[in-house]
Amino acid sequence: MKFKLIIASTPDDMTDAIADAAREEGATGCTILTNARGQGLKKAKTFLGLDLAGARDVVLILVEQHLGRRILEAIGRAGHFDASPGAGIAIMIDVEDAIGLNSQLHTIQTEIEDEI
């Protein structure tokens, strides 16, 4: 079985919407890294050296390759990535190998059975 890793950077108030959207499209879970920082085209404003930009999270979602594009598009819609500058980004990369998925493999295989 081949996997993709979706990595999304998003404002922390959108993290739950992104995780929910991924789950609705077949993701079996995600890992959320909190308090990330990022910079876009324009540097964030500061006040006395304190960053005024809101907190960001990084969401890591390991998915079976056939579900990858569908999940990527769903989280893009849920996070309004293309509609609002600074709303976040998501990328998807190939995963060469993964371990620790035994408890999820049956669910993954059942859900993608019709798509393969």
Side-chain angles (χ1 to χ4, degrees):
M1 190 173 292
K2 294 186 179 188
F3 294 94
K4 301 279 188 177
L5 177 64
I6 298 173
I7 305 168
S9 172
T10 182
D12 65 347
D13 61 343
M14 293 303 294
T15 301
D16 289 337
I18 287 171
D20 292 344
R23 206 173 266 287
E24 286 174 15
E25 293 298 328
T28 56
C30 67
T31 299
I32 299 168
L33 307 174
T34 60
N35 297 320
R37 291 184 355 174
Q39 291 186 4
L41 288 174
K42 298 178 182 175
K43 194 168 180 173
K45 295 180 181 178
T46 62
F47 178 72
L48 299 175
L50 299 173
D51 189 0
L52 296 179
R56 299 190 72 77
D57 291 338
V58 174
V59 182
L60 306 173
I61 309 166
L62 187 65
V63 300
E64 202 283 329
Q65 70 176 352
H66 292 91
L67 301 176
R69 184 66 194 183
R70 187 170 78 194
I71 293 171
L72 182 67
E73 290 175 359
I75 65 173
R77 286 188 304 273
H80 310 287
F81 290 171
D82 287 330
S84 307
I89 63 165
I91 63 170
M92 183 168 57
I93 59 175
D94 290 329
V95 174
E96 186 172 326
D97 205 355
I99 60 172
L101 298 172
N102 285 340
S103 63
Q104 298 180 15
L105 284 179
H106 177 70
T107 301
I108 293 169
Q109 289 171 336
T110 302
E111 289 187 10
I112 65 160
E113 199 169 66
D114 297 332
E115 295 187 33
I116 296 180

